[in-house]
Amino acid sequence: MEKKIGFIGAGNMGSALITAACRGNDPKDVIITDYLLDKAKALADKLGCCVASDNVEVVRSAHYIMLAVKPQVLNSVIKEINPVLKECIETDKPRALVSMAAGVTIENIKKKLDIELPIIRIMPNTPVSIGKGMILLTSNNKEAVVSEKDFDQFISIMNAAGKFDRISEEDMDAANVAMGCTPAYAYMFIEALADGAVMTGLPRDKAIKYAAQAVLGAAAMVIESRHHPGILKDAVCSPGGSTIVGVAELEKHGFRSAAIQAVLGAYNKTIDLGKN
Ligand SMILES: NC(=O)c1ccc[n+]([C@@H]2O[C@H](COP(=O)([O-])OP(=O)(O)OC[C@H]3O[C@@H](n4cnc5c(N)ncnc54)[C@H](OP(=O)(O)O)[C@@H]3O)[C@@H](O)[C@H]2O)c1
């Protein structure tokens, strides 16, 4: 029986998405592979999904083909699977490609293929593994190659990942940086807050738990209250209190400027990666 979804690459992002796919579907509908097959086998043992011995087998077995490899190796993977994609389509086995490669446009991918098929470009983040992630989607809509049915079906297969938002491809690189990279910065922030709390005498486990829960709650406040973060910050800073002293220290040490530069640096790198 044909699988719903197949993954080429079971690294950091691939394994997070595979975990979400297995939670939202019968894991037997999910097939995965990786350059290091043992990595794919270990994940499949944990999740109960199927393993393909190579990339070609994934293409032969599944409708949606998730390209979860680094942008630097995407070209060689597309070259490798192009003949079997062609064979599938010619024998009436529709296939859709899903790319998450930072900076790589749909047009770039289309140029590498000598067949027409739906290509969905997504930008996920790693919290998809616990259902708290977000997947941004766009497609080669102009030619209407990706139908609404393709989109709906893909979203329903990946539903356990978290939230979804359709955006234009022009916004994808900026969105990659705002969303795909932010978990790393948030982890650093939580770790640094916990370091400070340990310096004041709190045990490490409690320091990490309290910092993480506070960041989680603050993020939920931004989303649910729909207030500007500055207003929410002001509400925590009582006059003459301790929080405003902390805010002033963050400003003194360039906190906001560092965050802005992180986003700009990651954006420039994303644009470079797309030039491969
Ligand atoms: N990490 C994130 O938070 C994040 C967020 C948004 C988007 N993305 C995108 O997700 C994609 C994957 O990134 P990642 O962070 O998951 O990278 P990663 O951890 O390096 O995972 C890529 C996996 O693909 C395997 N691989 C390499 N060449 C292969 C081939 N020819 N055939 C099959 N598998 C192959 C790698 O194996 P080896 O380790 O043996 O090379 C590795 O296990 C990238 O395009 C990235 O831009 C990542």
Side-chain angles (χ1 to χ4, degrees):
M1 254 263 287
E2 189 162 288
K3 312 287 178 202
K4 287 184 183 170
I5 193 160
F7 289 79
I8 295 178
N12 291 319
M13 198 62 246
S15 59
L17 288 162
I18 292 164
T19 305
C22 289
R23 222 185 23 255
N25 301 275
D26 180 345
K28 295 279 168 258
D29 278 332
V30 180
I31 186 160
I32 69 173
T33 196
D34 193 275
Y35 193 63
L36 292 175
L37 204 52
D38 284 348
K39 198 194 277 186
K41 281 184 183 153
L43 190 62
D45 280 349
K46 194 170 116 193
L47 300 172
C49 61
C50 306
V51 183
S53 56
D54 57 30
N55 299 342
V56 164
E57 191 188 336
V58 170
V59 176
R60 283 198 207 287
S61 310
H63 181 95
Y64 289 95
I65 314 296
M66 305 284 278
L67 302 170
V69 294
K70 289 276 187 218
Q72 297 87 329
V73 292
L74 192 64
N75 285 349
S76 64
V77 169
I78 291 176
K79 201 168 163 201
E80 179 195 354
I81 64 174
N82 186 48
V84 67
L85 278 171
K86 193 170 177 194
E87 179 194 305
C88 287
I89 287 162
E90 284 171 358
T91 52
D92 220 12
K93 290 184 190 153
R95 293 291 179 262
L97 283 184
V98 182
S99 167
M100 63 200 73
V104 182
T105 62
I106 292 170
E107 198 51 41
N108 273 345
I109 295 173
K110 275 177 72 180
K111 276 192 211 146
K112 312 260 162 10
L113 294 163
D114 59 10
I115 31 157
E116 278 280 305
L117 82 171
I119 304 172
I120 299 176
R121 183 177 168 193
I122 65 168
M123 187 42 62
N125 62 6
T126 46
V128 295
S129 67
I130 56 160
K132 304 276 184 203
M134 187 157 197
I135 299 184
L136 307 174
L137 312 98
T138 193
S139 74
N140 46 348
N141 258 349
K142 279 174 227 145
E143 295 84 5
V145 180
V146 180
S147 65
E148 287 305 308
K149 194 172 146 233
D150 284 320
F151 262 124
D152 291 348
Q153 204 174 35
F154 176 72
I155 291 173
S156 112
I157 292 170
M158 288 309 303
N159 204 26
K163 301 205 180 307
F164 293 81
D165 199 23
R166 295 238 324 241
I167 62 170
S168 73
E169 186 161 31
E170 291 73 50
D171 290 338
M172 251 312 179
D173 292 332
N176 164 41
V177 172
M179 209 212 41
C181 308
T182 291
Y185 314 148
Y187 300 138
M188 288 172 74
F189 183 47
I190 290 167
E191 187 189 20
L193 293 173
D195 281 344
V198 169
M199 282 174 78
T200 63
L202 220 52
R204 172 69 61 183
D205 58 337
K206 289 201 184 298
I208 292 175
K209 187 171 162 189
Y210 299 159
Q213 188 61 38
V215 170
L216 181 69
M221 283 288 280
V222 173
I223 289 168
E224 286 175 30
S225 74
R226 297 180 182 217
H227 288 318
H228 187 281
I231 292 176
L232 294 168
K233 180 237 4 166
D234 287 354
V236 187
C237 296
S238 46
S242 50
T243 308
I244 192 66
V245 173
V247 167
E249 285 295 324
L250 283 174
E251 288 294 357
K252 194 162 94 188
H253 294 282
F255 174 72
R256 284 201 293 185
S257 165
I260 291 167
Q261 289 308 319
V263 174
L264 292 180
Y267 179 76
N268 291 335
K269 178 67 183 177
T270 299
I271 301 294
D272 280 352
L273 286 171
K275 290 179 187 154
N276 280 315

